[in-house]
Amino acid sequence: MTKKVRVRYAPSPTGHLHIGNARTALFNYLYARHHDGDFVIRIEDTDQKRNIEDGEKSQLENLEWLNIDWDESPSNPGKYGPYRQSERKEIYLPLVDQLLASNLAYKCYCTEEELEEEREAQKARGEIPRYNGKCANLSVEEQVAKEAAGITPVVRFRVPKNKSYSFEDMVKGNITFESDSVGGDFVILKRDGMPTYNFAVAVDDYMMKITHVLRGDDHIANTPKQLMIYEAFGWEAPKFGHMTLIINSETGKKLSKRDETILQFIEQYRDLGYQPEAMFNFISLLGWSPVGEEELFSQEELVKIFDADRLGKSPAAFDNKKLEWISNQYMKQIDRKEMAQLALPYLVEAKLVEENPSEEKLAWVEELVSLYQPQMSYAGEIVELSNLFFNDTLTLNEEAKEVLAGETVPQVLEAFTKQISELEVFDVASIKASIKAVQKETGVKGKNLFMPIRVAVSGQMHGPELGETIMLLGKEKVLDHIKQATN
């Protein structure tokens, strides 16, 4: 590559960081870092009506949480700013004037009502709606009359007739569009004086020396319009790469914000206590595949091995089970003290543990969390997993009741109650010794010994290691649960 690689992630501040946008940012980041290039954040905020308060802040904070850093942005500008489109009008407007002067664009005075009426008429005739060119050749006198009538024009780009536009897509290979397919002369400057997306993005990518544009394939249809802008100014276009859509692996349908079976926004994963390293790893595999079968990579490893040639041509499947597995691998590597600190806020929020707990309570929480850590995928999961330790009332389902109806259960629980009641030191070793003593006294062993004890003390058929479960429940709660189970 002769030019220094420069890529960009250009969100609109219209909402929180969606998983699809996070993937776009992440792949651009990996491409830039792999090639020792620049990763630029540019805010596309020309649609003022759709922008939300703190939309930009939310985007950037969640990128930071994912450990994605950047070289230029509104907060750390380089020499190609400003980095918000709303602040770049003085760059766009002279270029619009240049197109008007060269007759490559023209002012259009059609009202929204006229345009809508024409669209409906075209639909009624079975035609694909497109601008009919009504204002394409107005005389100077006609334009003056329109403006005298108080009509504020838009500016439209003259789409060349019967011309093909081709580009070599980094993901999909050669793509060709006919100029007639873009829907007629398109608006490049709106009535409010702000540029439209396709004009601003082409200008910005050129002015900011962007060499590669990696984005979702919902942008493919925009590419010919942008190529026309490049051609009009005699500029060299960047290389385009359009990544496949993300689909729900269960339904095979495009990931929709209405699909409630999948969390859609990075903030939701962050709030649940997923680890950013796990999310970075998982997202990197949505539409890109490394060489070999390995699926767990550090960020540094992904930067080193990222190859845009391995971006997938088929839709990327969002697989919840794969996410849970990857996340679980990361959770299991966390130090138990750190894990307890990650889980504690969720127990406090659920009002299961008091704020500012004592040292003794913190030690108990650490033991509790370590009990479930091997199966956790996110820190907030501790609340649901550990609910038996916070319930005073024992709840038994039909399967559990069936276990307690076993022939030898009364003598096992009676012997176990006696053993536990007499324990002076309530630790795992002593509890295990008590269970062993019950086996010796009753002659009951294996499943017939352990299952009734587990069900009676926890109300559950399955769970963490029995000795640790009993210790963390505490003698008083264990005896109370057995009493509830046998009454």
Side-chain angles (χ1 to χ4, degrees), residues 160-422:
K161 306 295 184 187
N162 304 315
K163 186 167 185 177
S164 296
Y165 287 85
S166 296
F167 63 97
E168 193 66 25
D169 193 279
M170 295 166 65
V171 180
K172 300 176 181 297
N174 185 266
I175 297 177
T176 300
F177 285 90
E178 298 304 319
S179 59
D180 291 344
S181 70
V182 303
D185 298 342
F186 57 90
V187 176
I188 58 173
L189 192 71
K190 295 179 282 189
R191 296 183 203 281
D192 62 4
M194 294 299 287
T196 57
Y197 168 78
N198 281 306
F199 182 73
V201 75
V203 170
D204 291 344
D205 285 343
Y206 176 76
M207 294 293 185
M208 292 182 173
K209 299 192 182 302
I210 300 301
T211 59
H212 298 76
V213 174
L214 279 172
R215 57 191 180 187
D217 69 1
D218 51 330
H219 282 284
I220 288 180
N222 291 321
T223 310
K225 293 181 180 179
Q226 292 161 22
L227 289 174
M228 291 173 193
I229 300 297
Y230 278 96
E231 181 185 62
F233 289 114
W235 297 340
E236 181 184 352
K239 290 184 178 178
F240 294 98
H242 291 92
M243 299 170 288
T244 57
L245 296 174
I246 302 174
I247 61 170
N248 184 327
S249 64
E250 297 290 326
T251 65
K253 294 180 180 179
K254 175 186 171 183
L255 205 60
S256 161
K257 292 177 184 178
R258 292 186 295 275
D259 183 352
E260 296 182 359
T261 65
I262 291 176
L263 298 180
Q264 299 281 323
F265 299 98
I266 295 301
E267 197 164 334
Q268 293 173 302
Y269 292 98
R270 182 180 175 181
D271 290 346
L272 283 171
Y274 280 83
Q275 294 307 288
E277 298 83 0
M279 292 302 300
F280 191 105
N281 191 156
F282 173 73
I283 294 169
S284 74
L285 302 176
L286 285 175
W288 175 81
S289 58
V291 176
E293 301 298 318
E294 182 60 51
E295 293 187 305
L296 298 175
F297 300 97
S298 69
Q299 186 166 335
E300 293 73 21
E301 288 170 328
L302 286 165
V303 166
K304 185 176 181 181
I305 66 176
F306 187 77
D307 180 358
D309 289 342
R310 297 190 65 82
L311 287 167
K313 292 178 171 59
S314 302
F318 190 106
D319 186 341
N320 270 320
K321 290 179 181 175
K322 186 173 181 178
L323 170 60
E324 299 308 305
W325 178 80
I326 288 176
S327 296
N328 175 249
Q329 303 311 302
Y330 281 84
M331 295 297 274
K332 288 191 288 193
Q333 301 303 314
I334 298 174
D335 172 80
R336 61 181 278 165
K337 282 192 178 299
E338 183 186 348
M339 188 66 226
Q341 288 303 310
L342 288 172
L344 180 60
Y346 297 95
L347 294 170
V348 171
E349 185 182 11
K351 296 186 169 29
L352 300 175
V353 174
E354 67 275 13
E355 289 190 58
N356 304 313
S358 65
E359 287 297 320
E360 183 182 0
K361 190 67 172 182
L362 282 174
W364 182 85
V365 167
E366 186 178 319
E367 292 288 345
L368 175 73
V369 174
S370 67
L371 204 60
Y372 290 100
Q373 186 173 355
Q375 69 191 84
M376 290 171 65
S377 294
Y378 55 95
E381 201 170 10
I382 190 63
V383 173
E384 185 178 349
L385 288 174
S386 64
N387 61 3
L388 76 93
F389 290 94
F390 303 100
N391 291 336
D392 292 328
T393 303
L394 192 73
T395 303
L396 301 170
N397 62 22
E398 291 305 314
E399 195 178 6
K401 290 176 182 176
E402 194 175 317
V403 168
L404 294 178
E407 186 180 346
T408 58
V409 169
Q411 63 185 111
V412 166
L413 293 182
E414 184 180 350
F416 181 68
T417 298
K418 185 172 182 294
Q419 286 287 336
I420 290 296
S421 299
E422 294 174 355

Side-chain angles (χ1 to χ4, degrees), residues 403-404 446-456 460-462:
V403 168
L404 294 178
K447 185 178 179 182
N448 290 333
L449 172 67
F450 292 105
M451 284 300 287
I453 292 175
R454 178 178 290 281
V455 169
Q460 298 179 355
M461 297 286 291
H462 309 284

